[in-house]
Amino acid sequence: MLASRIPVTGYAYQWTSRLANPVLGWIIGWVSFSFLAIVVVAVDYTIAGTVLPVLLNYEGTTLNAALITGVVVLCQAALVSQSTRWTERVNNAAVSAELIGMVTLTALLFIVAAIRGQADGDNLFSKGALPDADFWSFGDWNTAGPWMLGFLLGSFTIVGFESAANLAEQTNDPERVVPRAMWQAVLASGVLGFLFLLAVTLAAGDPVALAQSGTPVADVIEKVLGSVVSTLLLIMVVLAIFACGMVIMLTGTRLTWAMARDERFPGWKVLNKVSPRTHTPFNATVFYTVLALAILAVFTSVSSNALFTLFSAASLLPAIIYASTVVLFIVKRKSLPASDKFNLGRWEIPVVVVAVVWLVFELSLFRDSSFKETWLYVLAMMVVGGIYLVALLATRGRAALAMPEMTSIDAEFDREANVS
């Protein structure tokens, strides 16, 4: 609903700044930036830490996973910084491969496991190696039960659909296209992801033994489908994850550029530039890449379980963003600009109610003590952002946060290119 009414690069930052106030909008923008900076690392670490060790048959370690992740980040940055058109082409090809691969993989797992008698319905109700005590418990003030924590899988996998809103200014008819792209992405990932997890669980074999593996999903695929088929499908998975990280990087650089364009991001005089050669925010891309590599280095050096911490932070931060956006929509829904291109109609209230219930439940799970390092990252990023915000207000006053008129990113690119 907000995407159809305020189709401007910067999504939640723009929505909150224009409908609530610029100070709150800046805070949400910084939270969004903090999320996008870490989620690209989390996604790319998946390639290096869980898929490639099985695909190339080597032992995965923290060091080689970090090095490979860094190389993947640099490759994505090269594409994003040099050509938006080629980034789009690579993404479209990878998404097509992902859809074909996931549908094929899911169908084959169901069929082959059933034919070979490898599908075990008891796995759907198994607790694995976890104790029966408190399995279903909601927990206490600093713990959450295993079944409850399982919901966080959806918090990470069904995320990032707002990236479409962050590219609104580079989309034809964004008021219609962007909101439809968002709900279609959620529906497709939700349905297909659920079926895939169902197939993997049925074919998992002994869940206790499988839990000892660092690459359990890949192991199930190889066991059921054999090495040749699993290799081909794992290659598709690598391409899909690469494209996912690339889009996240594209989104992060556009958000950085949008805040710098509004003169409210550290180093905005440098980061708001557009390359006259590539017509991309090259400086913002370089900055975002360097920060992502720094986050990778810190997390892999200080965290005993880097992948868990990265994924946790990449789940907590969007939950904060989504909760803020939903609350803002509830408060401002009757005063939003009119739109005749996208409307939920009678489904608006039910969708909002479900969203509120889910987000309250999701955020409550992060009280578990296992997320201590996750909260430390959030706290560190908020301190950095807070220092800059106070300095900005002290030196330039609240007038520095006044929102400029909504202009197209293409016009800005052309202006910058001509000036340069």
Side-chain angles (χ1 to χ4, degrees), residues 23-262:
V23 174
L24 182 59
W26 189 93
I27 294 172
I28 295 301
W30 185 257
V31 173
S32 303
F33 168 76
S34 302
F35 159 59
L36 291 167
I38 196 171
V39 72
V40 69
V41 179
V43 167
D44 291 344
Y45 198 93
T46 305
I47 296 178
T50 64
V51 182
L52 287 184
V54 175
L55 183 61
L56 302 180
N57 193 26
Y58 68 87
E59 181 181 356
T61 65
T62 300
L63 178 59
N64 61 37
L67 292 175
I68 294 172
T69 301
V71 172
V72 174
V73 169
L74 290 173
C75 291
Q76 292 164 340
L79 269 171
V80 170
S81 65
Q82 294 302 310
S83 174
T84 300
R85 180 171 297 179
W86 272 103
T87 300
E88 178 186 0
R89 289 174 178 172
V90 172
N91 176 67
N92 290 343
V95 169
S96 298
E98 177 183 9
L99 290 174
I100 295 172
M102 284 299 294
V103 171
T104 303
L105 175 60
T106 303
L108 285 176
L109 283 173
F110 274 121
I111 295 171
V112 176
I115 292 176
R116 293 181 175 178
Q118 295 175 311
D120 187 354
D122 291 339
N123 283 350
L124 299 177
F125 307 96
S126 172
K127 299 181 181 65
L130 297 172
D132 290 339
D134 299 326
F135 182 84
W136 305 99
S137 171
F138 189 73
D140 51 32
W141 290 108
N142 63 348
T143 61
W147 189 75
M148 295 294 176
L149 289 174
F151 280 95
L152 291 179
L153 177 63
S155 302
F156 183 82
T157 53
I158 307 180
V159 71
F161 50 85
E162 74 284 352
S163 295
N166 201 32
L167 298 175
E169 294 180 46
Q170 293 177 284
T171 304
N172 294 324
D173 195 16
E175 295 90 340
R176 183 188 305 277
V177 173
V178 169
R180 282 173 168 75
M182 292 170 71
W183 75 257
Q184 288 170 358
V186 172
L187 180 63
S189 60
V191 173
L192 187 56
F194 173 77
L195 292 175
F196 174 71
L197 289 175
L198 186 65
V200 170
T201 304
L202 287 170
D206 182 359
V208 176
L210 187 64
Q212 305 304 314
S213 171
T215 55
V217 175
D219 290 348
V220 172
I221 294 173
E222 183 170 4
K223 181 192 71 172
V224 176
L225 302 179
S227 59
V228 176
V229 175
S230 65
T231 297
L232 293 174
L233 292 172
L234 285 174
I235 291 173
M236 289 188 180
V237 170
V238 170
L239 294 175
I241 297 175
F242 178 87
C244 178
M246 183 180 64
V247 170
I248 293 169
M249 177 169 288
L250 181 66
T251 305
T253 58
R254 293 310 187 261
L255 174 63
T256 303
W257 180 84
M259 295 181 72
R261 176 181 64 177
D262 296 343

Side-chain angles (χ1 to χ4, degrees), residues 208-369:
V208 176
L210 187 64
Q212 305 304 314
S213 171
T215 55
V217 175
D219 290 348
V220 172
I221 294 173
E222 183 170 4
K223 181 192 71 172
V224 176
L225 302 179
S227 59
V228 176
V229 175
S230 65
T231 297
L232 293 174
L233 292 172
L234 285 174
I235 291 173
M236 289 188 180
V237 170
V238 170
L239 294 175
I241 297 175
F242 178 87
C244 178
M246 183 180 64
V247 170
I248 293 169
M249 177 169 288
L250 181 66
T251 305
T253 58
R254 293 310 187 261
L255 174 63
T256 303
W257 180 84
M259 295 181 72
R261 176 181 64 177
D262 296 343
E263 302 181 3
R264 60 193 60 184
F265 195 88
W268 62 267
K269 290 183 179 180
V270 175
L271 299 179
N272 68 356
K273 303 297 182 184
V274 176
S275 169
R277 181 178 64 85
T278 64
H279 299 282
T280 62
F282 184 84
N283 292 350
T285 305
V286 172
F287 169 79
Y288 181 86
T289 303
V290 171
L291 179 62
L293 293 175
I295 290 173
L296 171 65
V298 170
F299 272 79
T300 53
S301 62
V302 304
S303 176
S304 58
N305 190 348
L307 187 61
F308 173 81
T309 307
L310 287 168
F311 272 64
S312 300
S315 301
L316 171 59
L317 287 165
I320 295 173
I321 298 167
Y322 298 158
S324 303
T325 303
V326 171
V327 171
L328 175 66
F329 178 79
I330 293 172
V331 174
K332 295 289 185 177
R333 54 186 291 267
K334 293 185 177 180
S335 60
L336 287 172
S339 174
D340 59 354
K341 295 190 175 183
F342 182 84
N343 198 309
L344 289 175
R346 64 181 181 179
W347 288 99
E348 180 178 309
I349 298 301
V351 168
V352 170
V353 170
V354 171
V356 170
V357 172
W358 162 248
L359 287 167
V360 170
F361 171 71
E362 178 184 354
L363 287 170
S364 72
L365 297 176
F366 285 97
R367 73 187 185 279
D368 192 272
S369 58

